[in-house]
PDB file of all heavy atoms in Angstrom:
ATOM      1  N   TRP A   1      76.420  13.832 -57.345  1.00 98.00           N
ATOM      2  CA  TRP A   1      75.402  12.855 -57.800  1.00 98.00           C
ATOM      3  C   TRP A   1      75.693  12.529 -59.252  1.00 98.00           C
ATOM      4  O   TRP A   1      76.175  13.290 -60.058  1.00 98.00           O
ATOM      5  CB  TRP A   1      74.008  13.587 -57.828  1.00 98.00           C
ATOM      6  CG  TRP A   1      73.390  13.795 -56.490  1.00 98.00           C
ATOM      7  CD1 TRP A   1      73.432  14.963 -55.794  1.00 98.00           C
ATOM      8  CD2 TRP A   1      72.677  12.871 -55.687  1.00 98.00           C
ATOM      9  NE1 TRP A   1      72.705  14.809 -54.586  1.00 98.00           N
ATOM     10  CE2 TRP A   1      72.275  13.507 -54.522  1.00 98.00           C
ATOM     11  CE3 TRP A   1      72.318  11.551 -55.845  1.00 98.00           C
ATOM     12  CZ2 TRP A   1      71.529  12.891 -53.503  1.00 98.00           C
ATOM     13  CZ3 TRP A   1      71.618  10.898 -54.859  1.00 98.00           C
ATOM     14  CH2 TRP A   1      71.212  11.569 -53.691  1.00 98.00           C
ATOM     15  N   LEU A   2      75.404  11.238 -59.514  1.00 98.00           N
ATOM     16  CA  LEU A   2      75.312  10.809 -60.913  1.00 98.00           C
ATOM     17  C   LEU A   2      73.846  10.771 -61.290  1.00 98.00           C
ATOM     18  O   LEU A   2      73.093   9.975 -60.694  1.00 98.00           O
ATOM     19  CB  LEU A   2      75.950   9.464 -61.103  1.00 98.00           C
ATOM     20  CG  LEU A   2      75.743   8.797 -62.483  1.00 98.00           C
ATOM     21  CD1 LEU A   2      76.367   9.700 -63.610  1.00 98.00           C
ATOM     22  CD2 LEU A   2      76.300   7.387 -62.562  1.00 98.00           C
ATOM     23  N   LEU A   3      73.421  11.611 -62.249  1.00 98.00           N
ATOM     24  CA  LEU A   3      72.044  11.649 -62.695  1.00 98.00           C
ATOM     25  C   LEU A   3      71.965  10.986 -64.060  1.00 98.00           C
ATOM     26  O   LEU A   3      72.673  11.355 -64.987  1.00 98.00           O
ATOM     27  CB  LEU A   3      71.573  13.105 -62.784  1.00 98.00           C
ATOM     28  CG  LEU A   3      71.669  13.943 -61.496  1.00 98.00           C
ATOM     29  CD1 LEU A   3      71.149  15.327 -61.705  1.00 98.00           C
ATOM     30  CD2 LEU A   3      70.989  13.249 -60.323  1.00 98.00           C
ATOM     31  N   LEU A   4      71.062  10.029 -64.166  1.00 98.00           N
ATOM     32  CA  LEU A   4      70.898   9.197 -65.404  1.00 98.00           C
ATOM     33  C   LEU A   4      69.705   9.732 -66.144  1.00 98.00           C
ATOM     34  O   LEU A   4      68.580   9.465 -65.728  1.00 98.00           O
ATOM     35  CB  LEU A   4      70.807   7.769 -65.053  1.00 98.00           C
ATOM     36  CG  LEU A   4      70.717   6.797 -66.252  1.00 98.00           C
ATOM     37  CD1 LEU A   4      72.006   6.863 -67.089  1.00 98.00           C
ATOM     38  CD2 LEU A   4      70.467   5.366 -65.766  1.00 98.00           C
ATOM     39  N   ARG A   5      69.942  10.442 -67.267  1.00 98.00           N
ATOM     40  CA  ARG A   5      68.845  10.912 -68.096  1.00 98.00           C
ATOM     41  C   ARG A   5      68.461   9.870 -69.115  1.00 98.00           C
ATOM     42  O   ARG A   5      69.211   9.508 -69.967  1.00 98.00           O
ATOM     43  CB  ARG A   5      69.242  12.198 -68.779  1.00 98.00           C
ATOM     44  CG  ARG A   5      67.993  12.974 -69.324  1.00 98.00           C
ATOM     45  CD  ARG A   5      68.139  13.416 -70.718  1.00 98.00           C
ATOM     46  NE  ARG A   5      66.772  13.562 -71.252  1.00 98.00           N
ATOM     47  CZ  ARG A   5      66.533  13.769 -72.545  1.00 98.00           C
ATOM     48  NH1 ARG A   5      67.513  13.857 -73.414  1.00 98.00           N
ATOM     49  NH2 ARG A   5      65.289  13.890 -72.960  1.00 98.00           N
ATOM     50  N   THR A   6      67.226   9.411 -69.021  1.00 98.00           N
ATOM     51  CA  THR A   6      66.739   8.328 -69.913  1.00 98.00           C
ATOM     52  C   THR A   6      65.538   8.806 -70.758  1.00 98.00           C
ATOM     53  O   THR A   6      65.139   8.097 -71.647  1.00 98.00           O
ATOM     54  CB  THR A   6      66.259   7.116 -69.104  1.00 98.00           C
ATOM     55  OG1 THR A   6      65.258   7.533 -68.158  1.00 98.00           O
ATOM     56  CG2 THR A   6      67.426   6.526 -68.310  1.00 98.00           C
ATOM     57  N   GLY A   7      64.991   9.987 -70.452  1.00 98.00           N
ATOM     58  CA  GLY A   7      63.773  10.430 -71.167  1.00 98.00           C
ATOM     59  C   GLY A   7      62.495   9.824 -70.579  1.00 98.00           C
ATOM     60  O   GLY A   7      61.430  10.052 -71.073  1.00 98.00           O
ATOM     61  N   TRP A   8      62.678   9.075 -69.513  1.00 98.00           N
ATOM     62  CA  TRP A   8      61.482   8.315 -68.962  1.00 98.00           C
ATOM     63  C   TRP A   8      60.537   9.268 -68.305  1.00 98.00           C
ATOM     64  O   TRP A   8      59.321   8.924 -68.145  1.00 98.00           O
ATOM     65  CB  TRP A   8      61.960   7.302 -67.926  1.00 98.00           C
ATOM     66  CG  TRP A   8      61.091   6.093 -67.901  1.00 98.00           C
ATOM     67  CD1 TRP A   8      60.134   5.787 -66.937  1.00 98.00           C
ATOM     68  CD2 TRP A   8      60.991   5.019 -68.848  1.00 98.00           C
ATOM     69  NE1 TRP A   8      59.488   4.624 -67.242  1.00 98.00           N
ATOM     70  CE2 TRP A   8      60.012   4.117 -68.383  1.00 98.00           C
ATOM     71  CE3 TRP A   8      61.693   4.755 -70.025  1.00 98.00           C
ATOM     72  CZ2 TRP A   8      59.702   2.971 -69.141  1.00 98.00           C
ATOM     73  CZ3 TRP A   8      61.391   3.623 -70.763  1.00 98.00           C
ATOM     74  CH2 TRP A   8      60.415   2.734 -70.323  1.00 98.00           C
ATOM     75  N   ASP A   9      60.888  10.483 -67.929  1.00 98.00           N
ATOM     76  CA  ASP A   9      59.971  11.440 -67.316  1.00 98.00           C
ATOM     77  C   ASP A   9      58.826  11.778 -68.294  1.00 98.00           C
ATOM     78  O   ASP A   9      57.771  12.261 -67.823  1.00 98.00           O
ATOM     79  CB  ASP A   9      60.669  12.688 -66.851  1.00 98.00           C
ATOM     80  CG  ASP A   9      61.451  13.355 -67.937  1.00 98.00           C
ATOM     81  OD1 ASP A   9      61.831  12.773 -68.932  1.00 98.00           O
ATOM     82  OD2 ASP A   9      61.667  14.623 -67.815  1.00 98.00           O
ATOM     83  N   ALA A  10      58.965  11.609 -69.555  1.00 97.00           N
ATOM     84  CA  ALA A  10      57.873  11.848 -70.555  1.00 97.00           C
ATOM     85  C   ALA A  10      56.732  10.930 -70.337  1.00 97.00           C
ATOM     86  O   ALA A  10      55.613  11.244 -70.771  1.00 97.00           O
ATOM     87  CB  ALA A  10      58.423  11.683 -71.983  1.00 97.00           C
ATOM     88  N   ARG A  11      56.932   9.839 -69.607  1.00 97.00           N
ATOM     89  CA  ARG A  11      55.852   8.805 -69.342  1.00 97.00           C
ATOM     90  C   ARG A  11      55.165   9.067 -68.009  1.00 97.00           C
ATOM     91  O   ARG A  11      54.299   8.312 -67.614  1.00 97.00           O
ATOM     92  CB  ARG A  11      56.449   7.434 -69.361  1.00 97.00           C
ATOM     93  CG  ARG A  11      57.022   7.008 -70.674  1.00 97.00           C
ATOM     94  CD  ARG A  11      57.871   5.685 -70.508  1.00 97.00           C
ATOM     95  NE  ARG A  11      58.352   5.084 -71.656  1.00 97.00           N
ATOM     96  CZ  ARG A  11      57.795   4.009 -72.294  1.00 97.00           C
ATOM     97  NH1 ARG A  11      56.778   3.367 -71.746  1.00 97.00           N
ATOM     98  NH2 ARG A  11      58.333   3.525 -73.382  1.00 97.00           N
ATOM     99  N   SER A  12      55.577  10.056 -67.267  1.00 96.00           N
ATOM    100  CA  SER A  12      55.187  10.186 -65.826  1.00 96.00           C
ATOM    101  C   SER A  12      53.728  10.547 -65.646  1.00 96.00           C
ATOM    102  O   SER A  12      53.261  10.496 -64.511  1.00 96.00           O
ATOM    103  CB  SER A  12      56.072  11.187 -65.125  1.00 96.00           C
ATOM    104  OG  SER A  12      55.936  12.462 -65.636  1.00 96.00           O
ATOM    105  N   GLY A  13      53.034  10.904 -66.728  1.00 94.00           N
ATOM    106  CA  GLY A  13      51.622  11.234 -66.563  1.00 94.00           C
ATOM    107  C   GLY A  13      50.709  10.063 -66.590  1.00 94.00           C
ATOM    108  O   GLY A  13      49.482  10.194 -66.411  1.00 94.00           O
ATOM    109  N   ASP A  14      51.208   8.857 -66.803  1.00 95.00           N
ATOM    110  CA  ASP A  14      50.457   7.618 -66.921  1.00 95.00           C
ATOM    111  C   ASP A  14      51.058   6.489 -66.165  1.00 95.00           C
ATOM    112  O   ASP A  14      52.224   6.078 -66.496  1.00 95.00           O
ATOM    113  CB  ASP A  14      50.220   7.289 -68.401  1.00 95.00           C
ATOM    114  CG  ASP A  14      49.324   6.124 -68.633  1.00 95.00           C
ATOM    115  OD1 ASP A  14      49.758   4.960 -68.598  1.00 95.00           O
ATOM    116  OD2 ASP A  14      48.161   6.341 -68.932  1.00 95.00           O
ATOM    117  N   GLN A  15      50.312   5.891 -65.229  1.00 96.00           N
ATOM    118  CA  GLN A  15      50.885   4.832 -64.428  1.00 96.00           C
ATOM    119  C   GLN A  15      51.332   3.664 -65.255  1.00 96.00           C
ATOM    120  O   GLN A  15      52.455   3.114 -65.061  1.00 96.00           O
ATOM    121  CB  GLN A  15      49.815   4.341 -63.436  1.00 96.00           C
ATOM    122  CG  GLN A  15      50.127   3.083 -62.665  1.00 96.00           C
ATOM    123  CD  GLN A  15      50.927   3.287 -61.401  1.00 96.00           C
ATOM    124  OE1 GLN A  15      51.153   4.381 -60.933  1.00 96.00           O
ATOM    125  NE2 GLN A  15      51.467   2.179 -60.872  1.00 96.00           N
ATOM    126  N   GLN A  16      50.565   3.210 -66.247  1.00 96.00           N
ATOM    127  CA  GLN A  16      50.874   2.063 -66.983  1.00 96.00           C
ATOM    128  C   GLN A  16      52.077   2.272 -67.921  1.00 96.00           C
ATOM    129  O   GLN A  16      53.011   1.458 -68.009  1.00 96.00           O
ATOM    130  CB  GLN A  16      49.720   1.617 -67.895  1.00 96.00           C
ATOM    131  CG  GLN A  16      48.566   0.989 -67.084  1.00 96.00           C
ATOM    132  CD  GLN A  16      47.459   0.424 -67.934  1.00 96.00           C
ATOM    133  OE1 GLN A  16      47.329   0.823 -69.071  1.00 96.00           O
ATOM    134  NE2 GLN A  16      46.676  -0.478 -67.338  1.00 96.00           N
ATOM    135  N   GLU A  17      52.122   3.426 -68.572  1.00 97.00           N
ATOM    136  CA  GLU A  17      53.310   3.770 -69.385  1.00 97.00           C
ATOM    137  C   GLU A  17      54.606   3.926 -68.565  1.00 97.00           C
ATOM    138  O   GLU A  17      55.630   3.571 -68.978  1.00 97.00           O
ATOM    139  CB  GLU A  17      53.037   5.034 -70.194  1.00 97.00           C
ATOM    140  CG  GLU A  17      52.085   4.890 -71.395  1.00 97.00           C
ATOM    141  CD  GLU A  17      52.078   6.081 -72.234  1.00 97.00           C
ATOM    142  OE1 GLU A  17      52.992   6.988 -72.086  1.00 97.00           O
ATOM    143  OE2 GLU A  17      51.220   6.192 -73.093  1.00 97.00           O
ATOM    144  N   PHE A  18      54.407   4.432 -67.371  1.00 97.00           N
ATOM    145  CA  PHE A  18      55.586   4.669 -66.501  1.00 97.00           C
ATOM    146  C   PHE A  18      56.143   3.432 -65.979  1.00 97.00           C
ATOM    147  O   PHE A  18      57.390   3.218 -66.027  1.00 97.00           O
ATOM    148  CB  PHE A  18      55.147   5.567 -65.338  1.00 97.00           C
ATOM    149  CG  PHE A  18      56.314   6.246 -64.639  1.00 97.00           C
ATOM    150  CD1 PHE A  18      57.076   7.179 -65.210  1.00 97.00           C
ATOM    151  CD2 PHE A  18      56.601   5.863 -63.328  1.00 97.00           C
ATOM    152  CE1 PHE A  18      58.171   7.756 -64.543  1.00 97.00           C
ATOM    153  CE2 PHE A  18      57.668   6.457 -62.628  1.00 97.00           C
ATOM    154  CZ  PHE A  18      58.497   7.407 -63.257  1.00 97.00           C
ATOM    155  N   LEU A  19      55.316   2.489 -65.552  1.00 97.00           N
ATOM    156  CA  LEU A  19      55.866   1.191 -65.120  1.00 97.00           C
ATOM    157  C   LEU A  19      56.212   0.239 -66.249  1.00 97.00           C
ATOM    158  O   LEU A  19      57.065  -0.598 -66.130  1.00 97.00           O
ATOM    159  CB  LEU A  19      54.845   0.502 -64.183  1.00 97.00           C
ATOM    160  CG  LEU A  19      54.513   1.229 -62.901  1.00 97.00           C
ATOM    161  CD1 LEU A  19      53.622   0.399 -61.987  1.00 97.00           C
ATOM    162  CD2 LEU A  19      55.769   1.669 -62.136  1.00 97.00           C
ATOM    163  N   ASN A  20      55.505   0.392 -67.407  1.00 97.00           N
ATOM    164  CA  ASN A  20      55.819  -0.317 -68.659  1.00 97.00           C
ATOM    165  C   ASN A  20      55.952  -1.831 -68.426  1.00 97.00           C
ATOM    166  O   ASN A  20      56.995  -2.464 -68.739  1.00 97.00           O
ATOM    167  CB  ASN A  20      57.118   0.248 -69.262  1.00 97.00           C
ATOM    168  CG  ASN A  20      57.259  -0.156 -70.711  1.00 97.00           C
ATOM    169  OD1 ASN A  20      56.312  -0.244 -71.420  1.00 97.00           O
ATOM    170  ND2 ASN A  20      58.468  -0.453 -71.126  1.00 97.00           N
ATOM    171  N   ALA A  21      54.946  -2.369 -67.789  1.00 95.00           N
ATOM    172  CA  ALA A  21      54.974  -3.844 -67.410  1.00 95.00           C
ATOM    173  C   ALA A  21      54.158  -4.650 -68.353  1.00 95.00           C
ATOM    174  O   ALA A  21      53.084  -4.208 -68.855  1.00 95.00           O
ATOM    175  CB  ALA A  21      54.475  -4.003 -65.986  1.00 95.00           C
ATOM    176  N   ASN A  22      54.561  -5.900 -68.537  1.00 94.00           N
ATOM    177  CA  ASN A  22      53.733  -6.892 -69.241  1.00 94.00           C
ATOM    178  C   ASN A  22      53.877  -8.223 -68.517  1.00 94.00           C
ATOM    179  O   ASN A  22      54.214  -8.212 -67.320  1.00 94.00           O
ATOM    180  CB  ASN A  22      54.184  -7.039 -70.698  1.00 94.00           C
ATOM    181  CG  ASN A  22      55.705  -7.458 -70.831  1.00 94.00           C
ATOM    182  OD1 ASN A  22      56.291  -8.030 -69.929  1.00 94.00           O
ATOM    183  ND2 ASN A  22      56.283  -7.204 -72.007  1.00 94.00           N
ATOM    184  N   GLU A  23      53.562  -9.270 -69.162  1.00 90.00           N
ATOM    185  CA  GLU A  23      53.488 -10.585 -68.437  1.00 90.00           C
ATOM    186  C   GLU A  23      54.888 -11.018 -67.957  1.00 90.00           C
ATOM    187  O   GLU A  23      54.936 -11.873 -67.020  1.00 90.00           O
ATOM    188  CB  GLU A  23      52.922 -11.687 -69.338  1.00 90.00           C
ATOM    189  CG  GLU A  23      53.764 -12.024 -70.610  1.00 90.00           C
ATOM    190  CD  GLU A  23      53.545 -11.000 -71.747  1.00 90.00           C
ATOM    191  OE1 GLU A  23      52.727 -10.060 -71.572  1.00 90.00           O
ATOM    192  OE2 GLU A  23      54.134 -11.169 -72.813  1.00 90.00           O
ATOM    193  N   THR A  24      55.947 -10.426 -68.495  1.00 91.00           N
ATOM    194  CA  THR A  24      57.306 -10.761 -67.995  1.00 91.00           C
ATOM    195  C   THR A  24      57.815  -9.805 -66.896  1.00 91.00           C
ATOM    196  O   THR A  24      58.894  -9.960 -66.393  1.00 91.00           O
ATOM    197  CB  THR A  24      58.265 -10.779 -69.149  1.00 91.00           C
ATOM    198  OG1 THR A  24      58.429  -9.460 -69.734  1.00 91.00           O
ATOM    199  CG2 THR A  24      57.815 -11.740 -70.229  1.00 91.00           C
ATOM    200  N   GLY A  25      56.950  -8.812 -66.568  1.00 92.00           N
ATOM    201  CA  GLY A  25      57.399  -7.834 -65.529  1.00 92.00           C
ATOM    202  C   GLY A  25      57.628  -6.458 -66.191  1.00 92.00           C
ATOM    203  O   GLY A  25      57.415  -6.251 -67.364  1.00 92.00           O
ATOM    204  N   PRO A  26      58.072  -5.519 -65.296  1.00 96.00           N
ATOM    205  CA  PRO A  26      58.308  -4.156 -65.798  1.00 96.00           C
ATOM    206  C   PRO A  26      59.555  -4.090 -66.650  1.00 96.00           C
ATOM    207  O   PRO A  26      60.545  -4.808 -66.464  1.00 96.00           O
ATOM    208  CB  PRO A  26      58.473  -3.354 -64.465  1.00 96.00           C
ATOM    209  CG  PRO A  26      58.920  -4.373 -63.465  1.00 96.00           C
ATOM    210  CD  PRO A  26      58.287  -5.669 -63.874  1.00 96.00           C
ATOM    211  N   HIS A  27      59.485  -3.134 -67.601  1.00 98.00           N
ATOM    212  CA  HIS A  27      60.633  -2.912 -68.524  1.00 98.00           C
ATOM    213  C   HIS A  27      60.975  -1.447 -68.511  1.00 98.00           C
ATOM    214  O   HIS A  27      60.379  -0.622 -69.212  1.00 98.00           O
ATOM    215  CB  HIS A  27      60.274  -3.387 -69.969  1.00 98.00           C
ATOM    216  CG  HIS A  27      59.985  -4.847 -70.043  1.00 98.00           C
ATOM    217  ND1 HIS A  27      60.964  -5.802 -70.222  1.00 98.00           N
ATOM    218  CD2 HIS A  27      58.837  -5.561 -69.885  1.00 98.00           C
ATOM    219  CE1 HIS A  27      60.486  -7.011 -70.230  1.00 98.00           C
ATOM    220  NE2 HIS A  27      59.151  -6.905 -70.024  1.00 98.00           N
ATOM    221  N   THR A  28      61.912  -1.147 -67.683  1.00 98.00           N
ATOM    222  CA  THR A  28      62.425   0.229 -67.487  1.00 98.00           C
ATOM    223  C   THR A  28      63.924   0.215 -67.410  1.00 98.00           C
ATOM    224  O   THR A  28      64.501  -0.740 -66.938  1.00 98.00           O
ATOM    225  CB  THR A  28      61.786   0.924 -66.240  1.00 98.00           C
ATOM    226  OG1 THR A  28      62.215   0.200 -65.081  1.00 98.00           O
ATOM    227  CG2 THR A  28      60.273   0.994 -66.304  1.00 98.00           C
ATOM    228  N   PRO A  29      64.568   1.309 -67.823  1.00 98.00           N
ATOM    229  CA  PRO A  29      66.049   1.320 -67.858  1.00 98.00           C
ATOM    230  C   PRO A  29      66.674   1.515 -66.440  1.00 98.00           C
ATOM    231  O   PRO A  29      65.929   1.832 -65.520  1.00 98.00           O
ATOM    232  CB  PRO A  29      66.360   2.545 -68.688  1.00 98.00           C
ATOM    233  CG  PRO A  29      65.128   3.494 -68.465  1.00 98.00           C
ATOM    234  CD  PRO A  29      63.971   2.550 -68.367  1.00 98.00           C
TER     235      PRO A  29
END
């Protein structure tokens, strides 16, 4: 496997922070 560590799991307790979306769409790595 190639596992990509981005630190995004720190946001996993909140739907909005996890999807990180605005009027242009979601912004995630």
Side-chain angles (χ1 to χ4, degrees):
W1 289 98
L2 172 61
L3 304 182
L4 184 61
R5 196 230 156 188
T6 57
W8 212 257
D9 58 335
R11 298 170 174 253
S12 63
D14 184 276
Q15 170 85 12
Q16 290 186 338
E17 285 191 11
F18 196 67
L19 297 186
N20 197 36
N22 60 20
E23 65 279 359
T24 64
H27 297 273
T28 60

